[in-house]
Amino acid sequence: MTAVGNGAQTAGRPTRLPRSARRKQLLAAAQEVFVAQGYHAAAMDDIAERAGVSKPVLYQHFPGKMDLYLALLDTHCDAIVAKVHDAMRGTNDNKERVGASVQAYFDFVDHESEAFRLVFESDLRNDPAVRQRVERVEQGCIAAITDTIISDTGVSRAHAELLASGLVGAAETAAQFWLAGGRQVPKAEAEALVAALSWRGIASFPLQGESA
């Protein structure tokens, strides 16, 4: 197994890294191990070896395997929610907003790091701390889209949340199905198909000030 390198070695010892850089290195190593093996099969020994550090160094930064896993979940859960927020704020064109939201999910599952497996395919979904973070992704993305729907259409929050959950569910499920199926449809075309389906439904709700 190749270690995640960071700097040259001096007198047989690894270069001392700033705490933030070491933490980043350890998280990168842990992500590769968790993605490849799953949480339960992964061991702190594997992560330390992958990072090219001793176990004491690993434990200085993360007291246990769960701490590493939750730190990675926080990073990637926040990232996907931020991408959907950006999709809502990046334009006033609602059709483009739908397309950008769908693209955010496809980009996430298609990234070479395969970090999406930690969020959407975790073997720890029954753990309360993990479940809370995974649910936060769905809730955060739904909230971002809900606010936009309310602002633009004037429908009730309950109606807007239901519409937003449909868009989020379609984007997440379709992106994972596309990846699992071997990317048989080109990514841009797949995104456009899912966005078109979602847009045709949402576009039927008139903007405030327009007649139905």
Side-chain angles (χ1 to χ4, degrees), residues 165-196:
S165 69
L167 175 56
V168 167
E172 178 185 330
T173 301
Q176 292 186 75
F177 181 86
W178 169 79
L179 184 69
R183 301 179 176 89
Q184 295 184 47
V185 178
K187 181 170 175 286
E189 184 179 344
E191 292 168 354
L193 284 169
V194 178

Side-chain angles (χ1 to χ4, degrees), residues 121-188:
E121 298 180 0
S122 174
D123 53 354
L124 278 180
R125 292 293 287 266
N126 291 328
D127 180 271
V130 173
R131 184 170 63 250
Q132 183 271 331
R133 284 162 171 80
V134 173
E135 289 175 350
R136 190 179 75 211
V137 173
E138 182 177 288
Q139 292 165 359
C141 293
I142 288 174
I145 298 171
T146 294
D147 291 341
T148 300
I149 292 174
I150 291 174
S151 175
D152 286 355
T153 68
V155 300
S156 70
R157 176 162 292 276
H159 285 78
E161 285 177 337
L162 191 57
L163 290 169
S165 69
L167 175 56
V168 167
E172 178 185 330
T173 301
Q176 292 186 75
F177 181 86
W178 169 79
L179 184 69
R183 301 179 176 89
Q184 295 184 47
V185 178
K187 181 170 175 286

Side-chain angles (χ1 to χ4, degrees), residues 23 35 38 48 65-66 79 86 104 108 114 135 140 145 149 156 160 165 181 189-190 205 210:
R23 178 182 173 87
V35 166
K65 187 168 67 168
M66 180 61 79
D86 289 345
F108 186 51
E114 296 189 274
E135 289 175 350
I145 298 171
I149 292 174
S156 70
S165 69
E189 184 179 344
F205 291 85
E210 294 181 353

Side-chain angles (χ1 to χ4, degrees), residues 74-156:
D74 284 335
T75 296
H76 295 300
C77 288
D78 290 345
I80 185 63
V81 173
K83 284 181 178 293
V84 173
H85 273 280
D86 289 345
M88 295 297 102
R89 293 191 294 253
T91 178
N92 290 324
D93 186 308
N94 286 328
K95 185 175 183 180
E96 291 180 5
R97 283 170 168 164
V98 170
S101 298
V102 171
Q103 183 181 355
Y105 278 91
F106 274 80
D107 286 347
F108 186 51
V109 303
D110 195 41
H111 195 275
E112 62 183 9
S113 69
E114 296 189 274
F116 81 94
R117 299 191 188 281
L118 303 180
V119 179
F120 297 141
E121 298 180 0
S122 174
D123 53 354
L124 278 180
R125 292 293 287 266
N126 291 328
D127 180 271
V130 173
R131 184 170 63 250
Q132 183 271 331
R133 284 162 171 80
V134 173
E135 289 175 350
R136 190 179 75 211
V137 173
E138 182 177 288
Q139 292 165 359
C141 293
I142 288 174
I145 298 171
T146 294
D147 291 341
T148 300
I149 292 174
I150 291 174
S151 175
D152 286 355
T153 68
V155 300
S156 70

